């Protein structure tokens, strides 16, 4: 029986296809072994360093991972006061472009001094340096309260970006209880709380204050804070020392009716006032952490909690004002309950001032820190401008900072205020840099999340794009990373021993980076370049080493 020729051709084709498929099944692709890179062991292991297995990479470098020794951290902050245009803006009538230039000049100056944080006043007296549904625009920004700045930019977003682009934290400084800075209420905006809620106000001396005893005031202030935390990429909310006002002779803070209405049975008015402040502190802290747990809450209280003559737990001082007894603020309660991430007690006295010794108070605060981070507030505004002759010595600030650095439990310093080391006392600023801050430093991690597990960054490549070098990440940058740190040295051993001495730059990461971090050619003028990342809580990742052979 003969097969039709067309059927025969189809049969042959089917046999050929079958043979080909079987051949593919039995042919295995070659296996390439790509073991993951090994990291150097404990970050506390000291030299000699045993380098891990290297990952073959491009022609001009090799790369591998390394656990850097945990570096020394230190808070180096400066207050930028906006009330009464103390530091910035120079005038509310200046153009926004001039205000921007002046602000950048302050940041550039303190960046050059190796500072790493700015504490910028964004609410001074019931007003705002940002668009808010709770407060009018500040006259210190626009010249007239309630007047919108002549720009499409959000001033606060812009300020935060400028600080963070320079590797500096932005702490949003807000005054909760001060409602006005004077009695010129006819100049207040209709949107100011004085006009909208006069029942919230108490006149005391030459100012008006929010009544801290009213629950509706507390709710309002918490909402003011919440708005900022929700809408802005800040690093911290910061309160200063103004709680209940400093006492004025023959003046009465008239909250008697509120006390009668809200105090507990047999509760003394002083204790009731302290509880009002405690309630605000607690609610602000829990609100911040409920929104963004990586945002810190810090307070810079008056420097003396209580004198020892009034309380055996107090400091060996004779201060005429204390937090506990006059301002009704109790930082020890906040420490004990974990309601603040940090405190910056304002120790604006010389080292051995007889009524309130800076030396004594540094030791006192360190001994009462608990788990709260303590930074010391210094007052360079007194240099060569105070009745205490100790301030005539340009070394006074250096003595204070050095003592703080030697004291266990103290993690840094902040300086009041920006103009005191910027428009004057520049010689002291340079002494500070050359003797104490010669290298950059990173700020301490967020209290409850320090040493937590950091996301493992994907390994990057070093590439040249046109005339620019870049770290390139095929899978993109992890959104949990806020900063990239770049270190450079010709000795990996030395770099690992003390990373802070070899930091080249700290880069703020955002969505615009995508999967690329750009570099300058001079960033690669080292045999070893190390890249690490810092997460939202301030924890630093392991490093990726790029061992440079020769740049193309």
């Amino acid at each position: 029986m003969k097969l039709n020729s067309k059927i025969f051709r189809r049969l042959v084709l089917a046999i050929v296809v079958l043979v080909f498929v079987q051949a593919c099944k039995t042919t295995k692709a070659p296996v390439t072994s790509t073991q993951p890179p090994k990291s150097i062991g404990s970050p506390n292991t000291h030299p000699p360093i045993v380098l891990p297995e290297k990952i073959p990479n491009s022609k001009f470098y090799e790369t591998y991972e390394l656990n850097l020794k945990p570096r020394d951290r230190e808070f180096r902050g400066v207050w930028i006061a906006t009330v009464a245009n103390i530091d910035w803006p120079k005038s509310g009538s200046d153009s926004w472009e001039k205000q921007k230039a002046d602000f950048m000049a302050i940041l550039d100056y303190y960046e050059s001094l190796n500072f790493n944080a700015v504490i910028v006043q964004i609410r001074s007296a019931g007003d705002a340096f940002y668009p808010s549904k709770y407060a009018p625009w500040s006259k210190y920004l626009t010249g007239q309260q309630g007047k919108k700045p002549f720009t499409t930019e959000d001033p606060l977003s812009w300020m935060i970006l400028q600080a963070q682009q320079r590797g500096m934290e932005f702490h949003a400084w807000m005054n909760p209880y001060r409602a006005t800075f004077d009695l010129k209420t006819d100049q207040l905006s209709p949107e100011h709380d004085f006009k909208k809620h006069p029942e919230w106000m108490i006149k005391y001396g030459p100012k008006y204050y929010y009544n801290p005893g009213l629950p509706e005031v507390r709710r309002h202030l918490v909402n003011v804070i919440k708005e900022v935390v929700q809408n802005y990429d800040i690093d911290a909310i910061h309160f200063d020392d103004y709680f209940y006002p400093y006492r004025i002779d023959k003046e009465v803070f008239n909250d008697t009716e509120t006390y009668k209405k809200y105090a507990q049975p047999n509760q003394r008015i002083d204790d009731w006032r302290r509880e009002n402040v405690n309630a605000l502190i607690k609610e602000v802290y829990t609100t911040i952490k409920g929104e963004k747990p990586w945002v810190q809450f810090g307070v810079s209280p008056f420097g003396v909690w209580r004198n020892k003559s009034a309380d055996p737990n107090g400091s060996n001082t004779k201060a005429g004002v204390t937090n506990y007894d006059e301002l009704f603020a109790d930082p020890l309660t906040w420490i004990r309950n974990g309601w603040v991430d940090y405190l910056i007690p304002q120790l604006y006295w010389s080292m051995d001032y007889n009524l309130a010794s800076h030396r004594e108070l540094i030791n006192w605060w360190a001994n009462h820190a608990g788990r709260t981070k303590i930074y010391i507030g210094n007052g360079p505004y007194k240099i060569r401008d105070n009745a205490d002759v100790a301030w005539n010595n340009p070394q006074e600030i250096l003595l204070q900072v050095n003592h703080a650095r030697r004291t266990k439990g103290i993690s840094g310093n902040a300086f009041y205020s920006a103009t005191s080391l910027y428009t004057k006392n520049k010689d002291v600023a340079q002494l500070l840099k050359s003797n104490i801050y010669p290298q950059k430093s990173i700020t301490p991690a967020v209290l409850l999340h320090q040493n937590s597990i950091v996301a493992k960054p994907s390994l990057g490549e070093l590439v040249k794009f046109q005339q620019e070098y870049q770290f390139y990440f095929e899978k993109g940058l992890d959104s949990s990373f806020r900063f990239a740190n770049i270190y450079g040295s010709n000795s990996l051993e030395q770099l690992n021993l003390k990373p802070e001495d070899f930091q080249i730059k700290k880069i703020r990461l955002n969505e615009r980076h995508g999967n690329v971090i750009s570099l300058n050619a001079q960033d690669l003028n080292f045999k070893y370049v190390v890249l690490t990342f810092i997460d939202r809580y301030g924890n630093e990742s392991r490093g990726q080493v790029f061992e440079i052979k020769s740049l193309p």
Side-chain angles (χ1 to χ4, degrees):
M1 183 175 168
K2 292 184 180 179
L3 290 172
N4 182 290
S5 61
K6 186 179 293 186
I7 295 174
F8 179 79
R9 284 196 300 271
R10 289 178 178 173
L11 182 59
V12 171
L13 180 60
I15 293 170
V16 170
V17 170
L18 183 61
V19 171
F20 179 77
V21 169
Q22 287 299 112
C24 290
K25 287 183 178 179
T26 57
T27 303
K28 295 184 178 179
V31 177
T32 301
S33 175
T34 55
Q35 293 185 357
K38 300 175 183 176
S39 63
I40 291 178
S42 166
N44 295 318
T45 300
H46 295 308
I49 294 178
V50 179
L51 295 182
E53 179 183 347
K54 298 183 180 179
I55 305 170
N57 216 297
S58 71
K59 295 179 182 178
F60 65 95
Y61 72 94
E62 292 182 338
T63 187
Y64 40 93
E65 292 184 86
L66 172 68
N67 282 335
L68 289 179
K69 177 181 180 289
R71 60 185 291 182
D72 293 335
R73 294 177 178 234
E74 182 176 33
F75 187 86
R76 303 171 182 175
V78 59
W79 280 281
I80 300 177
T82 60
V83 66
N85 301 108
I86 291 174
D87 293 316
W88 180 84
K90 291 182 179 178
S91 171
S93 61
D94 286 344
S95 69
W96 172 236
E97 291 304 313
K98 182 180 185 304
Q99 291 177 345
K100 285 168 64 174
D102 290 340
F103 189 77
M104 287 189 289
I106 293 172
L107 294 185
D108 289 341
Y109 179 73
Y110 281 96
E111 182 192 14
S112 75
L113 296 176
N114 291 326
F115 278 55
N116 56 24
V118 288
I119 306 168
V120 183
Q121 192 173 32
I122 65 168
R123 174 188 169 91
S124 61
D127 54 1
F129 269 62
Y130 53 93
S132 172
K133 61 183 178 182
Y134 298 110
W137 286 100
S138 174
K139 71 176 182 179
Y140 303 120
L141 178 66
T142 67
Q144 178 184 335
Q145 191 176 93
K147 179 182 177 182
K148 185 180 183 297
F150 192 66
T151 177
T152 58
E153 289 183 292
D154 180 331
L156 181 52
S157 290
W158 179 86
M159 288 189 287
I160 294 168
L161 179 62
Q162 293 302 312
Q164 294 177 347
Q165 282 181 338
R166 290 162 174 79
M168 305 171 87
E169 288 187 352
F170 188 99
H171 293 228
W173 170 13
M174 308 180 78
N175 291 89
Y177 292 135
R178 186 170 61 204
T180 72
F181 201 64
D182 53 38
L183 298 178
K184 299 175 183 177
T185 56
D186 58 318
Q187 297 180 9
L188 298 177
S189 163
E191 297 303 308
H192 192 280
D193 286 329
F194 178 87
K195 298 294 183 72
K196 296 171 72 174
H197 295 284
E199 72 279 9
W200 290 357
M201 301 294 151
I202 294 178
K203 179 184 175 296
Y204 187 70
K207 300 179 179 71
Y208 281 92
Y209 295 86
Y210 290 87
N211 185 344
L214 294 174
E216 55 268 38
V217 164
R218 185 163 63 249
R219 285 193 296 269
H220 175 73
L221 295 176
V222 169
N223 284 332
V224 169
I225 304 301
K226 186 175 182 179
E227 179 184 52
V228 173
V229 175
Q230 287 179 332
N231 294 340
Y232 295 96
D233 189 21
I234 57 172
D235 295 283
I237 290 290
H238 182 92
F239 287 177
D240 60 20
D241 54 316
Y242 286 95
F243 293 100
Y244 278 83
Y246 285 83
R247 285 183 177 170
I248 301 173
D249 286 344
K250 300 179 182 178
E251 289 276 349
V252 176
F253 191 80
N254 191 10
D255 58 353
T256 305
E257 293 303 315
T258 314
Y259 166 66
K260 290 177 180 177
K261 183 175 181 179
Y262 292 106
Q264 298 297 315
N266 302 317
Q267 187 179 30
R268 296 172 56 251
I269 190 169
D270 287 7
D271 294 329
W272 172 75
R273 286 174 172 173
R274 275 187 287 274
E275 283 306 306
N276 293 332
V277 176
N278 287 342
L280 177 67
I281 295 293
K282 178 182 179 180
E283 288 187 38
V284 168
Y285 179 82
T286 55
T287 297
I288 292 170
K289 300 305 178 182
E291 293 294 328
K292 296 177 181 176
W294 57 87
V295 172
Q296 299 176 76
F297 180 37
V299 181
S300 51
F302 183 73
V304 178
W305 174 68
R306 297 190 90 185
N307 295 315
K308 184 172 284 188
S309 59
D311 190 310
N313 291 319
S315 53
N316 187 22
T317 52
K318 300 175 182 178
V321 174
T322 68
N323 275 294
Y324 189 92
D325 298 296
E326 276 74 37
L327 306 179
F328 306 106
D330 188 7
L332 292 193
T333 292
W334 313 339
I335 290 172
R336 189 163 52 249
N337 288 284
W339 293 339
V340 287
D341 292 289
Y342 70 81
L343 292 175
I344 312 181
Q346 299 177 18
L347 308 189
Y348 299 160
W349 303 283
S350 61
M351 285 293 285
D352 298 303
Y353 183 60
N354 62 333
L355 298 180
S357 159
H358 190 96
R359 188 190 313 276
E360 156 71 17
L361 287 165
I362 283 182
N363 298 335
W364 187 91
W365 284 100
N367 290 334
H368 292 81
R371 296 189 65 243
T372 300
K373 294 190 184 301
I374 303 293
Y375 313 134
I376 298 302
N378 301 86
Y381 70 94
K382 288 188 173 182
I383 297 172
R384 305 182 181 105
D385 191 20
N386 194 262
D388 179 2
V389 296
W391 288 103
N392 294 334
N393 179 5
Q395 297 283 336
E396 175 64 28
I397 285 289
L398 277 68
L399 293 171
Q400 296 179 8
V401 176
N402 275 324
H403 185 69
R405 289 179 126 201
R406 290 191 300 266
T407 304
K408 184 179 179 181
I410 304 299
S411 303
N413 295 77
F415 301 83
Y416 185 85
S417 65
T419 55
S420 62
L421 291 173
Y422 174 53
T423 61
K424 57 182 181 177
N425 302 314
K426 286 193 173 184
D427 59 326
V428 177
Q430 290 306 314
L431 288 172
L432 188 64
K433 178 181 180 180
S434 59
N435 291 279
I436 300 179
Y437 297 159
Q439 283 89 28
K440 295 185 181 299
S441 181
I442 55 177
T443 54
V446 178
L447 179 64
L448 295 181
H449 297 271
Q450 60 191 17
N451 303 320
S452 60
I453 297 175
V454 188
K456 185 179 183 298
S458 59
L459 293 179
E461 299 177 52
L462 183 56
V463 299
K464 187 176 184 183
F465 179 71
Q466 297 177 349
Q467 299 303 311
E468 181 182 75
Y469 291 95
Q470 299 175 337
F471 290 130
Y472 170 75
F473 298 85
E474 184 178 2
K475 297 180 180 179
L477 293 166
D478 192 313
S479 61
S480 68
F481 295 135
R482 300 194 73 210
F483 290 98
N485 273 336
I486 301 174
Y487 304 88
S489 175
N490 292 323
S491 167
L492 193 58
E493 182 177 346
Q494 290 299 315
L495 189 154
N496 188 53
L497 272 177
K498 202 171 184 185
E500 57 269 24
D501 287 354
F502 298 96
Q503 181 178 334
I504 302 171
K505 60 175 59 174
K506 181 181 178 184
I507 300 171
R508 175 70 172 95
L509 302 174
N510 54 44
E511 64 277 0
R512 287 181 293 181
H513 283 89
N515 56 359
V516 166
I517 298 175
S518 297
L519 302 168
N520 299 318
Q522 57 265 33
D523 295 338
L524 302 177
N525 288 339
F526 305 93
K527 184 176 180 181
Y528 301 98
V529 176
V530 181
L531 172 67
T532 67
F533 293 94
I534 298 178
D535 68 12
R536 291 190 180 104
Y537 299 100
N539 297 299
E540 191 168 17
S541 73
R542 69 197 311 180
Q544 182 178 355
V545 180
F546 294 85
E547 184 177 338
I548 309 299
K549 297 176 181 177
S550 61
L551 295 179

